Amino acid sequence: MEIFPYTPRPNQKAIISTITQTLSNRGHLILESGTGSGKTICALSASLAYALKHDKKIIYTTRTNSQQQQVITELRAIQKHQKEVRDPDSLFGVGIQGRSNMCPLAYQDNELAQGTSEELSRFCANEKKKARSSKNKGCQYYRSFVEEKEKVQQTIEWVKTTLPTAEGFIEQCEKRNICPYELNKQLVRDARVVVVPYIYVFNITIRNMLFDWLGLSEEDIILIVDEAHNLPDYIRDLFSTQLSIWMVRNCGYEVEHFGDPSLLESRFSVKSFCKTLEDIISEIRDSYVYNLLETGIRTNGERKTDAFLPSNEFLSELTGRMGITTKQLHDVIEDLIAYGEKIQENKQKQNKLPRSYLHKLGLFLDFWIHLAHEQYAKLIVDAAEGKNPRIEAYCLDPSVGTDILTKFYSTIHMSGTLEPLEEYRDSIGLPAQTTLVSYPSPFPKENRKILYVKDVTTKYSELAKDQTIMERMWQYVFSICSSFPQNTMICFPSFNTLSMFQRNTGFSCLKRTIFFEEQQMSQSALMDLVTDFKAQGDNGGEGAALFSVMGGRISEGMDFPAEQLEIVVIVGIPYPKPTARQRGLQRYYDMKFRKGWEYTVEAPTARKLLQTIGRLIRDESDRGVAVLLDMRAPRFKKYIRDLEPTSDLLKDVKEFLKQKS
Ligand code: SF4
């Protein structure tokens, strides 16, 4: 507690003590503590105090940029609190973002802004080379960074005294004409705390670069993983790979532009190879996604969007149609990668993003050939209504990317919703002796009410049998939105269900301000929408209804304290869709842990529900009521212990809200 800057809330002393104990044992900790319980400041205070005594550094990794800001804000509070006792340099920390956010040349240019970290790294290396060899060429931000020592030193002083967020830091550097990325590299060495997105820890190339900057090895680092419930899915995505028709067509455009070399001693051209690939993907899609169930219609009525691909299907089709052996396919892949590199160099010379689709194609085929079968599912996916089918190697086992965790001095994994904690430990491959701790919500139980109704559901087979369910569901939503002026959020299992509801119900009868979250909304448009919604609840505003989805940017990432949100309506249980990908995952977890349903269906669904409900209560005085419109809700009683049935929803909600007033 020695550097904790606030008066501790319930559980915070215990959390700090648990973390300190874990660090002393050089162990691993999985910690669940309710949303709003102040985990960030506890983890920072405990690990900083330990790091100062034992000369360690902290890598604090977050999923989103707004979580990163929170860490820097808490670090500032610690620094302020300690200003009489310690040299501020000893509590210095920096936030790092990807090069696409930190490089002024990249974020000012649409093409560069889309670049991957490898592409931008290559682009940057070339810009720096030019800047070093000529006074007028290359990156101006790099030139100032190298040449204007005094300005750089002043910026370093400013950073150390202000502890800016990554956004503030980037803005200042740009104003001073200095490269934020290069300066960050230099600052990281002096920092006690480095706040990074997940990719800096779990992408091998980027992690090696970070450790080079730090000049340290893993055993000198304490790793804190925030919002850890996101990590298994994040790693699955990071280690999955795909080849879409769109990408193959781009290979075709590339050869049209840069020339169409021949492969295997002129047996065929790259263009004809790509055309064959395109045909194979389309035909595999027709065969496995559309035709297997004749109409492409699932028995549960939803259109099928993916299917398992027999292990050798794609490669045997490719070698068969091209009339080549597997050995010759390896030669083709090497040639594609070599041509791709030439294209990258060519684009680089023209100051363009050094991207080559042929290069990506070569890498994909190489990966596909060497795939570890048991940890991946091979899929054919048709998610864009026939427009862009793809084959995909979907990573089933996140532990393929987490070897690094056991090399750190110690790791702390935290979230408000991690139960069952064993699932997280097993999924990411932490040792069996990892400490698992769950703290109950520190807020008064009577401030939260969670009700469910028993006569509606979003289960497809029930909806198909009984047309009146949808009407009753709408009646519940309508009557809650019309009866209570408080800010209300109505959350759906997916954007599909939300739009189905939008099509089939009469929103025009709702006489109040309504907001809709949209799937393709930009981050700034989403923030504007949320700000406007919150304003309707603040200071006795008229109150509004926000229609949103579970597992999305609003229901998992935003805070709505006090009157900004008082009622949450959950329209149906957000079970994962029964896609081939999901079934593959469930089967893998059944084989590995005998817990396929619990780990891949029940627990992720419960987390989405709890995250959504968690928006209601952000501090001790916050109150709110959640309503689950689904008769299947009691299946989640072990995760949501205060769940209660209601036979008169409006009366029960009214009574709860009246107690407050
Ligand atoms: Fe971008 Fe900095 Fe590289 Fe210049 S030196 S290209 S500003 S990252």
Side-chain angles (χ1 to χ4, degrees), residues 99 102-106 120 123-125 127-128 139-142 179-182:
R99 210 184 303 238
M102 296 206 93
C103 166
L105 297 186
L120 289 177
F123 168 82
C124 173
E127 285 298 310
K128 291 197 288 192
C139 175
Q140 49 158 325
Y141 300 97
Y142 180 70
C179 169
Y181 194 78
E182 291 296 318

Side-chain angles (χ1 to χ4, degrees), residues 98-99 101-108 120 123-125 127-128 131 139-148 151-152 155-156 159 166 169-187 213:
R99 210 184 303 238
N101 281 344
M102 296 206 93
C103 166
L105 297 186
Y107 59 72
Q108 290 161 7
L120 289 177
F123 168 82
C124 173
E127 285 298 310
K128 291 197 288 192
C139 175
Q140 49 158 325
Y141 300 97
Y142 180 70
R143 189 174 297 108
S144 305
F145 171 74
V146 174
E147 291 174 1
E148 301 193 40
K151 194 154 70 170
V152 169
T155 314
I156 291 176
V159 174
F169 172 72
I170 294 166
E171 197 186 313
Q172 271 301 320
C173 287
E174 200 185 346
K175 270 190 198 152
R176 296 168 193 225
N177 208 35
I178 296 171
C179 169
Y181 194 78
E182 291 296 318
L183 186 57
N184 232 347
K185 276 196 219 169
Q186 192 169 320
L187 286 165
W213 297 351

Side-chain angles (χ1 to χ4, degrees), residues 246-280:
W246 178 84
M247 197 175 125
V248 177
R249 283 186 190 144
N250 273 306
C251 292
Y253 301 140
E254 211 162 86
V255 291
E256 273 169 25
H257 193 261
F258 289 95
D260 187 3
S262 56
L263 295 163
L264 291 182
E265 295 168 353
S266 304
R267 277 179 62 185
F268 48 82
S269 66
V270 171
K271 185 141 193 179
S272 67
F273 181 77
C274 292
K275 178 72 181 75
T276 307
L277 277 175
E278 192 177 329
D279 292 344
I280 293 174

Side-chain angles (χ1 to χ4, degrees), residues 324-335:
I324 56 175
T325 62
T326 310
K327 156 89 185 57
Q328 286 171 320
L329 181 59
H330 278 104
D331 294 343
V332 168
I333 291 170
E334 273 180 31
D335 284 354

Side-chain angles (χ1 to χ4, degrees), residues 562-574:
E563 277 86 23
Q564 290 180 357
L565 184 64
E566 294 184 78
I567 306 173
V568 163
V569 181
I570 291 176
V571 185
I573 304 292

